[in-house]
Amino acid sequence: MRKMSWMFLRDLLSGVNKYSTGIGRIWVAVVFLFRLLVYVAAAENIWKHEHDEFECNIKQPGCENVCFDHFFPVSHIRFWALQLIIVSTPSLLVVFHVAYRENREKHHNQKLYKNPGKIDGGLLCTYLISLILKTGLEIFFLVLFYKLYNGFKIPHLVKCDIKPCPNTVDCYISKPTEKMIFLYFLVATSCLCIVLNLSELSYLMFKYSIKCYLKRHVKNQQGSKSNCCESELIRHNRAAAAGRLHNSSSSLPLNMQDEHEKHSPLT
């Protein structure tokens, strides 16, 4: 079942990769290589027996279980699995939107989009929303981890005085240094994903803002050119009318020209 879940996540990331920008493809590579593969290949084995290897210097029944639950309310490995799945889920919005476009073209039996996977129009809004959600979820999980475990650290020794422990007991965590290294690595990759999401968000907003500005500028230029052409046409028509009036008056007999000049508004 777990293998099927990771296969689904891998297929999801592969699908998203087709519709991503260059920065988005870097994000997919980081998630797949430095988070998913590291999690499956190494982290799972390190935290595999964390409960069994958690030892306290007293054999009071239930004491170790209560202390472990207090210091590790959620297993690190399950927390990261949940984080990885939920953070990748907003990418489904983009995949669903592209699928909607493709199905719409099939339904109308005609080409409605130049490219259903091109990031523009409604798909651009969906893409931006997915980036905002991914960034927000990454930050939420980092803050939640910090609150649950009192920081990004794995202590060698914790002191527990929770009942049914008869007094304050020392409890030891297995492989704390190795776990600390992987903890820093996973937190660093999470921060890197936040930076990539914010960079891609800024890039897309800047790109399409410039695009809209240039389009508006070209439209204004075309409008001013059309106004100039209209003014030139009006001026030309007036000059032509004046020329025709002059020619017609010069072709009249002399006495009629005098009569015409008398009635002419120019005189």
Side-chain angles (χ1 to χ4, degrees):
M1 184 67 182
R2 183 182 297 175
K3 186 177 180 180
M4 289 177 62
S5 300
W6 295 129
M7 291 285 285
F8 167 76
L9 186 59
R10 185 200 65 185
D11 294 339
L12 170 62
L13 293 174
S14 299
V16 172
N17 193 48
K18 293 189 294 185
Y19 313 120
S20 299
T21 64
I23 301 175
R25 291 189 177 95
I26 296 173
W27 178 86
V28 171
V30 170
V31 171
F32 186 74
L33 293 175
F34 298 109
R35 297 181 75 173
L36 182 58
L37 289 183
V38 168
Y39 176 91
V40 173
E44 268 191 320
N45 293 326
I46 295 173
W47 273 271
K48 192 172 184 179
H49 304 290
E50 59 177 335
H51 187 273
D52 297 335
E53 296 172 348
F54 183 83
E55 295 182 352
C56 297
N57 60 358
I58 192 171
K59 296 302 178 184
Q60 177 74 23
C63 181
E64 284 187 358
N65 289 335
V66 170
C67 291
F68 183 84
D69 183 69
H70 175 72
F71 290 107
F72 302 100
V74 180
S75 171
H76 284 182
I77 206 69
R78 292 184 182 90
F79 183 92
W80 288 323
L82 182 65
Q83 178 186 8
L84 192 54
I85 292 169
I86 291 180
V87 164
S88 303
T89 300
S91 300
L92 279 173
L93 294 173
V94 179
V95 177
F96 287 156
H97 197 131
V98 174
Y100 164 76
R101 283 184 166 188
E102 293 173 347
N103 289 332
R104 191 161 175 255
E105 285 188 340
K106 288 180 182 178
H107 178 72
H108 291 279
N109 198 23
Q110 60 180 331
K111 192 74 174 174
L112 300 174
Y113 308 96
K114 291 182 180 179
N115 181 6
K118 185 179 180 182
I119 303 175
D120 59 0
L123 185 58
L124 173 63
C125 296
T126 303
Y127 199 95
L128 293 177
I129 290 170
S130 71
L131 287 174
I132 293 169
L133 287 175
K134 286 190 290 188
T135 305
L137 289 169
E138 288 278 17
I139 295 172
F140 169 76
F141 275 101
L142 284 176
V143 173
L144 184 60
F145 187 95
Y146 188 88
K147 294 290 186 181
L148 284 175
Y149 305 107
N150 295 318
F152 302 110
K153 59 183 183 295
I154 305 290
H156 293 72
L157 170 70
V158 291
K159 294 186 178 292
C160 180
D161 57 356
I162 303 171
K163 292 182 180 181
C165 298
N167 48 39
T168 301
V169 297
D170 295 334
C171 297
Y172 302 91
I173 299 171
S174 65
K175 298 177 282 190
T177 304
E178 189 176 17
K179 288 179 178 178
M180 181 73 80
I181 292 171
F182 273 93
L183 172 61
Y184 285 159
F185 180 81
L186 292 170
V187 170
T189 53
S190 183
C191 292
L192 177 59
C193 287
I194 292 173
V195 172
L196 289 172
N197 286 331
L198 291 175
S199 300
E200 188 174 15
L201 185 65
S202 303
Y203 164 74
L204 287 173
M205 292 179 69
F206 178 76
K207 176 183 176 182
Y208 283 94
S209 296
I210 294 296
K211 188 176 180 181
C212 291
Y213 171 77
L214 291 176
K215 189 181 291 185
R216 192 179 297 112
H217 180 70
V218 170
K219 190 179 291 185
N220 291 336
Q221 288 291 330
Q222 290 175 347
S224 62
K225 284 182 181 178
S226 64
N227 291 335
C228 289
C229 291
E230 288 177 1
S231 300
E232 287 291 334
L233 183 61
I234 293 171
R235 196 178 299 113
H236 180 268
N237 290 338
R238 286 178 177 175
R244 285 195 299 270
L245 181 62
H246 177 73
N247 291 334
S248 62
S249 62
S250 62
S251 62
L252 292 174
L254 187 60
N255 58 349
M256 294 184 68
Q257 287 184 18
D258 294 338
E259 189 68 25
H260 179 75
E261 288 177 358
K262 289 178 181 179
H263 292 85
S264 175
L266 296 176
T267 60

